[in-house]
Amino acid sequence: MKDLLPILKTFRKNKVSPLLLILQIALTFTILVNAIFMMVTKENELIQPTGLSESQLFSFSTNLEGSDEEKHAALDTDLADIQALASVESASTITSLPLTNWGRSLAVGLTPEDEDRVTHAGYYGSDETVVDTLGLRVVAGRSLQHNDVVHKYFDGHTASASVLISQDLAYKIRPNDWSSVVGETIYVQSVPQKVVGIVETMKSPWRFWYAYDMAVISSVKEHYEQSIIVVRAVESQREQAMSEVHQLLFKKPARQVDNFKSFEQIKAENLQADYAVSQTLKVVIAALACVTILGIFGQARYTVLKRKKQIGTRRALGATQGDILRYFMIENAVVSLLGVLLGTIVAIIANIYLVNYFGLTSVPSDYLISGAIVMVIAGQLAVYYPATTASKVPPAIATRAA
Amino acid sequence: MLSMRHLSKAYHTDTIKTQALQPFDLTIEQGEFVAIIGPSGSGKTTFLNITGLLEDFCEGSYELDGVNVEHLSDKAKSKLRNEKVGFIFQSFNLIPELTLYDNVDMPLRYRKLSSKERHERIMDALGKVGLASRRDHYPAQLSGGQQQRVAIARAIAGKPSFLLADEPTGNLDSKMAEGIMALLEDINAQGTSIVMVTHDPNQAARAQRVIEIRDGILSEGKRIEKAIA
Ligand SMILES: Nc1ncnc2c1ncn2[C@@H]1O[C@H](COP(=O)(O)OP(=O)(O)OP(=O)(O)O)[C@@H](O)[C@H]1O
Ligand SMILES: [Mg+2]
């Protein structure tokens, strides 16, 4: 550390270039740490579970024809046929599924009045098989039962009388005693509905909606012209179940099937844009890191070239190759440390501001600490080669170069 | 004492071999003041660089204060340079970002000296060249002659047995040059050997001994025994 003091003294005389480098490192450090934190937060959001038995599910929509009665009967026949397959555990009709970005949102309140609305929620109409098919977990009350279920062509929520709600919705309605919502009457679009049970997790169809965690499952089978059927295959037999169901469907003439997809496919399509953002962020982070490392490398090389004579003089006056190498490594370490220190201070101040004014989450300190360590190590690696070049400057330069 | 036997030096570039120094024998006693003269390109700097261990020689042997330098590692040579040799360059070679004090401190930091010992040596050396009061100034704030005095202070602070100077007054006017010469003579009078390259016949005349180099061939000029001078 015998070089530390002289290095700091040279900074006093020659402030600009180390200062610029310190600022560059501080800025990169702040941006990198925040970007990495954003990316990790985002990726964690992406892998958030929907609460469904994702790996066993697939769904599709199919056409129903004829009078109301005929459509209703056709739907029940389809469901019974699918259910009868050995590779299928359970099948239900449902008006929509989470992550499909398609469905109905309804206002939920404790009275019919609009002003008393508690929140919005995603709406699903289904039947007594829904809990089994989706793999939901009833945490209070009971599941839907056969005699709860009504039939309707469309707008089922106006006809149903019993509903399941998600635990988050129950909590929203009664934060201090969510489970007591079972047995209560809530108003869905001003229509009274009795809450018969609460399921642990059920999301609405829109991931970025404020009420993503709020869902109502009404006990109504809608036999619309395009009805959706969701199937739960026997564990690890989904592929077989999908092909069997597909074959079965097309035994009926004039059958139309749309969106025949596994749940992972639905999920992947939904997350695609976010994955793209996340990938872009990764590329930006990597590029930024490269630019900074190249910057440190370039600056060090330039300094070595500029100070060739000075290095030669030091060698002539007794510096060993190790002394020269050490000098540049320590100089870089000092600059990096000052840079990450400044960056940390900026990050902390910025975080206080962001948290207070925008309610954003602050970057946790372990990100700052590991970011600082990585930054200093990267700086040392970047400077190592130029420092080696410096140590190989021949001492004779001192008397030769003008 | 410095003793060279059948020493020679050649530079090899891709195609050309330059015989910078023909084989020669030379002994320089402790306390001598030797002037090296000769036309441009004759090999003076080469000779000085070999003497100061800045460059390796090709053939022959060289003992510096009793140490055979031939098989020394780079690190050992650096240490020997630091302790035995002081350099004075034509263009001073001070470090512009450091004060005079820190410039003189620089070679001392490559040694294991206490900070008290270093401080005493720095102040003593700056005092000898008459610049102690300007210790916190930067080189750019001094005249050329003063900068060369700082370089001399830097060279003598390490208490070397040899001072090697390559045209130390080459960048100075005659008045400043005279000051530097007087200073070197003072230092020599204290017992430090000096080997100085010069183009100035008057300066050469003031040395006890003159060695002329022509086309890489060393020849002895005048030699005045110290007792007589
Ligand atoms: N690194 C080198 N590679 C090849 N040739 C060199 C090298 N250094 C010096 N020489 C050659 O060696 C010879 C002696 O050079 P040197 O620098 O010792 O001369 P000098 O007497 O100091 O000249 P000057 O008075 O101009 O300083 C010259 O011909 C020079 O071109
Ligand atoms: Mg020369």
Side-chain angles (χ1 to χ4, degrees), chain A residues 45-100:
Chain A
E45 241 169 51
L46 295 187
I47 55 175
Q48 203 186 29
T50 54
L52 312 183
S53 302
E54 298 181 9
S55 64
Q56 285 166 270
L57 296 184
F58 64 96
S59 79
F60 57 91
S61 68
T62 178
N63 59 322
L64 300 175
E65 315 277 337
S67 68
D68 260 15
E69 296 310 307
E70 283 163 345
K71 286 196 202 109
H72 173 191
L75 183 60
D76 279 351
T77 310
D78 282 344
L79 286 171
D81 288 348
I82 293 169
Q83 190 86 64
L85 294 169
S87 58
V88 170
E89 202 163 294
S90 173
S92 313
T93 179
I94 192 162
T95 53
S96 172
L97 280 173
L99 299 181
T100 54

Side-chain angles (χ1 to χ4, degrees), chain B residues 190-207:
Chain B
Q190 315 280 317
T192 309
S193 318
I194 297 183
V195 179
M196 178 182 79
V197 172
T198 181
H199 275 124
D200 182 344
N202 293 325
Q203 283 180 10
R206 285 161 77 167

Side-chain angles (χ1 to χ4, degrees), chain A residues 174-193:
Chain A
R174 198 165 286 162
N176 44 9
D177 191 9
W178 60 268
S179 62
S180 71
V181 178
V182 175
E184 297 280 315
T185 297
I186 60 168
Y187 290 81
V188 177
Q189 293 297 89
S190 305
V191 180
Q193 308 272 342

